Amino acid sequence: MPIKSFRPLTPSGRFTSLNKRVGLSSKRPERALTEAKPKTGGRNVYGRVTSRHRGGGHKQLYRIIDFMRGLRDQPARVLAIEYDPNRTANLALVCYGSGLKQYILAPEGLQVGATIVASDKATTNEFTVGNNFPLEIIPPSTKVHAVELLPGRGAQIARSGGTALELMAVENGQAQLKMPSGELRFVHPKCRATIGTVGNGDHNKQSLGKAGRNRWLGKRPHVRGMAMNPVDHPNGGGQGKSKGGGGRQQLVSPWGQLAKGFPTRRRSKLSNSMIIVHHNGRKPRGRK
């Protein structure tokens, strides 16, 4: 979507640039496809803060999205493209021949009035934006999104705005995918994927322009550890701007967890065996 800037009539307007919602429906979301979204303010069941800097924000309804695409060989017509406050992608409201309505992630280039389908078989001219197929029948080098990690579990990969994976090959009973980070990994060829790139790729070019807009999003002020005293944070103290405690120790969280360059992924994770090349170009241990 194009980015809209404002005349500098106010201090905040001078730096504000937001998505220009061209083509998005202005109607309220489909009532049957929404549910309440209670806020936690970052607290757990005991009322203790476990995620800092959260609270407030505008009230939101959660849109129920069909990540399974379970209705096979039933064409659906796109009724509207809608904004979703819960994610960076926009949503497409589709209607099947039976009258059933569902929300799906709106891929780039999908227009109102278009017809899409989810199927287990396809001809060459059916690999168009919005259609959903198993990876084993999709041609190599195709851009896909909303990909399953395990067959039947529903889309888990490539769901944010502007994201797409590249299907490199399907051979030896494995589908090889290239992630946006550059990581190469195997996925079961029965896993389903949707053709195209997720829309709203310009969402990361926005400039909120003022602190209040962050509060509308439910984000509370965040104070840097380096600006604190040593009693309040491991990075606090020092004469002027120092890299923590006046010395040159590593930047850490308030609880001592390394903040930069420390891998947090467990080496014993089962899915490690499915990674061919990590995002940094290194191969996993034991793989040649």
Side-chain angles (χ1 to χ4, degrees), residues 73 117 119-127 131-134 137-139:
D73 301 312
V117 69
S119 179
D120 293 325
K121 54 186 182 296
T123 58
T124 306
N125 59 352
E126 289 183 328
F127 295 110
N131 289 345
N132 183 276
F133 304 104
I137 68 172
I138 298 177

Side-chain angles (χ1 to χ4, degrees), residues 64 106 213 229 240 275:
I64 302 170
R213 188 166 278 109
N229 293 320
I275 297 176

